[in-house]
Every structure is written in C-alpha cells, then in structure tokens.
Amino acid sequence: QSPPAAVHSTEMSTPSAPGLNIHSLPCTVEHTGKARVSTYLLVSEDETGSKLVHTTFRGRHLVGTRAAMPAGCEAAVLKPAISTGTESAADERQYQAKPVESIFLWGADFPRSSPAWQSAAAWVAAARVIHAE
C-alpha cells in the first residue's frame, strides 16, 4: 500500500527535529536503498552572490536553486512505523514523518524552473484568499 498523500504531525514543528533537505536530480537513480547524501552530495553557494547553488553528481557539475517550503505549507517524508506485532488492522497505516525544510532543484547546466510543487503551493495560497472570510 502507498502512504497517504499528506500527513499532519505535531512532531513536524518541534525545534528538536531538524528538517530534511530533498534533492530533485535531473536523472534517474536505480538505487533504492540508503545513501549517505550529506557525505557525497556537497552543496556550495554561488560565489557571485546569486541564489544559485552548485554540486557534482557522478562527476557531472549540477546547478540548482534551494526552494524553501512556502509559508503555511508543510511537507514530510513518510516511513512506515516499526511494527510491534500487537497492532490491530486499524493501526496498520501508521507512519513516522520527518519534516522537509527545503527542496534543492538541480539541472545539468542551469537550474530547473517552475516545478509542479511550486505551482501547487500557488494554488493553495490562491484558495486561501478566495475562501477567506
């Protein structure tokens, strides 16, 4: 079964739980296991003062932008909770949520623009304005 599309967790807002950085790469990676991303995908700020960031992946230079989560929006990476074997059928769909702090959008020669999640966030903001009382 797939995890739910959204989850709300009070745990997501605690200062003791640092947010994750998600990297959206311009390629397909076949590996599905654990990876030490913070060890090997080293991000450096652009020296010209722009908001661009740089890294290399498998020897290729990548240019990207760091996109923070829009105000009022939260995202989380879901992982199935560890089963103790005593749960009922109603408890089967419990997940641990780790909050997402920002998303890095990488391109091969220049950063990718206007991803779908930013468009979705704009629609959420528009809906709030339309439905405000």
Side-chain angles (χ1 to χ4, degrees), residues 26-104:
C27 60
T28 301
V29 178
E30 296 288 328
H31 181 69
T32 58
K34 291 185 177 186
R36 294 182 296 191
V37 175
S38 61
T39 301
Y40 295 108
L41 194 68
L42 304 176
V43 178
S44 62
E45 301 290 326
D46 192 79
E47 294 176 4
T48 64
S50 70
K51 293 185 178 184
L52 298 178
V53 289
H54 300 269
T55 193
T56 57
F57 182 72
R58 294 185 177 171
R60 276 200 78 164
H61 177 250
L62 299 177
V63 180
T65 55
R66 180 180 182 158
M69 294 306 299
C73 292
E74 291 181 337
V77 173
L78 303 179
K79 178 181 175 183
I82 297 172
S83 174
T84 60
T86 60
E87 293 88 6
S88 66
D91 294 331
E92 279 185 38
R93 293 185 57 135
Q94 290 189 357
Y95 295 89
Q96 293 175 335
K98 289 209 172 202
V100 172
E101 182 179 314
S102 58
I103 299 175
F104 286 87

